Amino acid sequence: MSASDAAAPADRSRRQYNFCAGPGTLPEEVLREAKDELPVYDHTGASVMEISHRSPAYDKIEESAREHLRALLDLDDNWHILFLQGGASMQFYQVPLNFLPEDGVADYVVTGRWGTKAVKEARRVGEVNIAASSEADDFSSVPDVDDWALRDDASYVHITTNETVNGNQMTDDPVLDAPVVTDASSEFLSRPMDLEGYGLVYAGAQKNLGPAGVTVVLVHDDFLRRRKQPLPTMLDYGTHAERRFNTPPVFPIYMVEKVCRWLRNQGGVDAIHAVNRRKARMLYDAIDATDFYQGTVEPDARSMMNVTFRLHDQELESVFLKQAEQHGLLSLAGHRTVGGIRASLYNAMPEEGVEALVEFMEEFERTHG
């Protein structure tokens, strides 16, 4: 079907290529496995959504999820792996609540919408120093770490390694005088991470890990010991590091376990990183090959996960999105605050999906250029 043919929409009863920024696409084999297990899980006589969170069956799920994460990220026993609720947005407040003293200061590097939101929440707790920001160029770049104006007395440095809305990404994991805290939601497990400089890493599951409903938090024991006291019980990282305090989001954690196991079967983080680089290169090459499409981020700051671009004639973008959906290329609209086009290439997006998008782009340009 040509890009100009609007008469034959894709069959929505069959699985399409989902480029949504979140909840993002999941591995099809994981979905099928979960479907088969959903009525009765592992001879328990009940669904995984019905079993007790204190049962041996659930203990096994959570322990396996942690085991996979430790293996994928090469985590030693000094790292606590927490499964929390509230999304990354809860972490915007929980981090400073735990680690920003009333008379202290925290450094924040702002490279997009989510970093901006993190600053707003941190300022409810204490003083924030904007060590660097790319807001002046509409977050089309990432400030070089050598240019960050860091405070000597900062309790921590907060960064967002990948900005889902703006489509930029940091390429290095900084090691600084203060512990680094990062929102890694939209790139977690998509590339190897050097955790040497980090005190805490958090990631909402709904990008590369599983469905919405659980947030993975990695907190190093040395950093955990620095937290303030007293703290509200549920917002104290120590509560969750010590034991399972309340009913966890069982089904999302069950899915995280399966996705992490799938990722290990693909060869781990190094292997999926190679795939992700190929996918991103394929799409960026298509954007750069013509003036019809225009990337929104400087080449050295482009995200591997969230590719953002515009059409040279922005009035054509609604047509592009409509026809892309008819071709089974779903959820390509940019975030409502920035517009344009955004293709999220998370781990579970197959290379064939990116090839289909590039083919559509080429045909769309041929018929509308």
Side-chain angles (χ1 to χ4, degrees):
M1 179 169 79
S2 79
S4 60
D5 182 3
D11 181 1
R12 288 298 189 91
S13 67
R14 303 181 64 180
R15 189 164 173 82
Q16 310 295 308
Y17 293 121
N18 176 22
F19 292 91
C20 186
T25 192
L26 290 166
E28 187 171 358
E29 64 188 81
V30 167
L31 294 174
R32 294 189 181 281
E33 185 177 318
K35 174 187 175 183
D36 291 342
E37 292 180 354
L38 198 58
V40 179
Y41 175 70
D42 195 25
H43 304 287
T44 61
S47 170
V48 70
M49 294 187 289
E50 301 168 321
I51 62 175
S52 169
H53 63 288
R54 302 189 189 282
S55 66
Y58 175 70
D59 286 342
K60 184 177 178 181
I61 291 170
E62 192 172 299
E63 289 166 6
S64 180
R66 286 196 171 91
E67 175 187 331
H68 290 316
L69 283 166
R70 288 194 184 279
L72 287 166
L73 293 167
D74 194 24
L75 299 175
D76 61 31
D77 291 339
N78 292 315
W79 285 94
H80 301 275
I81 302 174
L82 314 181
F83 297 113
L84 305 183
Q85 294 160 296
S89 293
M90 176 68 81
Q91 297 304 303
F92 297 162
Y93 181 69
Q94 190 168 354
V95 166
L97 186 69
N98 278 251
F99 299 110
L100 177 52
E102 290 183 8
D103 58 350
V105 63
D107 287 325
Y108 276 67
V109 177
V110 182
T111 51
R113 177 179 174 82
W114 299 115
T116 301
K117 284 180 171 288
V119 167
K120 180 180 178 180
E121 294 303 304
R123 282 178 169 156
R124 299 180 189 277
V125 177
E127 182 182 354
V128 170
N129 171 52
I130 305 300
S133 173
S134 56
E135 184 176 9
D137 63 11
D138 292 327
F139 302 120
S140 63
S141 65
V142 173
D144 189 278
V145 66
D146 292 336
D147 296 327
W148 296 359
L150 302 170
R151 289 273 295 265
D152 292 337
D153 56 345
S155 298
Y156 61 86
V157 181
H158 184 283
I159 63 176
T160 308
T161 46
N162 187 86
E163 278 285 357
T164 321
V165 171
N166 305 94
N168 63 57
Q169 186 172 22
M170 295 186 181
T171 56
D172 297 309
D173 297 300
V175 179
L176 307 170
D177 291 336
V180 178
V181 173
T182 185
D183 175 2
S185 294
S186 50
E187 68 150 13
F188 192 61
L189 298 183
S190 70
R191 66 171 180 89
M193 287 187 75
D194 180 357
L195 294 172
E196 179 184 354
Y198 289 107
L200 187 148
V201 176
Y202 61 89
Q206 64 272 18
K207 316 291 187 180
N208 273 323
L209 281 171
V214 65
T215 303
V216 171
V217 176
L218 314 177
V219 58
H220 195 278
D221 196 55
D222 290 344
F223 189 54
L224 184 65
R225 292 194 188 102
R226 300 187 184 191
R227 72 190 189 282
K228 301 183 298 186
Q229 292 292 336
L231 290 162
T233 302
M234 285 299 294
L235 295 177
D236 183 346
Y237 290 111
T239 297
H240 306 283
E242 180 180 343
R243 63 187 176 94
R244 187 187 305 143
F245 184 78
N246 66 323
T247 305
V250 171
F251 184 74
I253 295 171
Y254 158 87
M255 290 296 289
V256 166
E257 190 278 337
K258 288 188 179 299
V259 172
C260 287
R261 179 155 41 87
W262 170 84
L263 182 53
R264 291 185 71 183
N265 289 337
Q266 304 307 302
V269 175
D270 286 333
I272 206 69
H273 184 221
V275 175
N276 289 333
R277 291 182 66 179
R278 287 199 301 269
K279 292 186 299 189
R281 186 182 305 115
M282 187 191 315
L283 184 49
Y284 282 121
D285 283 349
I287 293 168
D288 292 341
T290 172
D291 292 332
F292 190 81
Y293 301 106
Q294 299 166 353
T296 63
V297 176
E298 296 296 327
D300 62 353
R302 286 172 164 177
S303 171
M304 185 174 56
M305 292 285 96
N306 308 106
V307 178
T308 56
F309 60 98
R310 306 299 302 249
L311 273 64
H312 79 291
D313 180 356
Q314 295 184 10
E315 292 185 1
L316 280 175
E317 289 176 352
S318 61
V319 180
F320 178 96
L321 292 168
K322 181 179 179 180
Q323 293 189 7
E325 190 166 312
Q326 291 167 348
H327 281 68
L329 307 170
L330 308 182
S331 300
L332 282 165
H335 192 271
R336 63 186 181 277
T337 59
V338 297
I341 315 297
R342 173 176 57 178
S344 294
L345 312 182
Y346 298 132
N347 287 349
M349 171 56 66
E351 291 183 80
E352 293 80 6
V354 184
E355 291 170 356
L357 174 57
V358 168
E359 289 174 3
F360 168 77
M361 291 168 62
E362 291 172 347
E363 178 66 9
F364 189 87
E365 180 183 2
R366 189 186 69 78
T367 56
H368 293 84

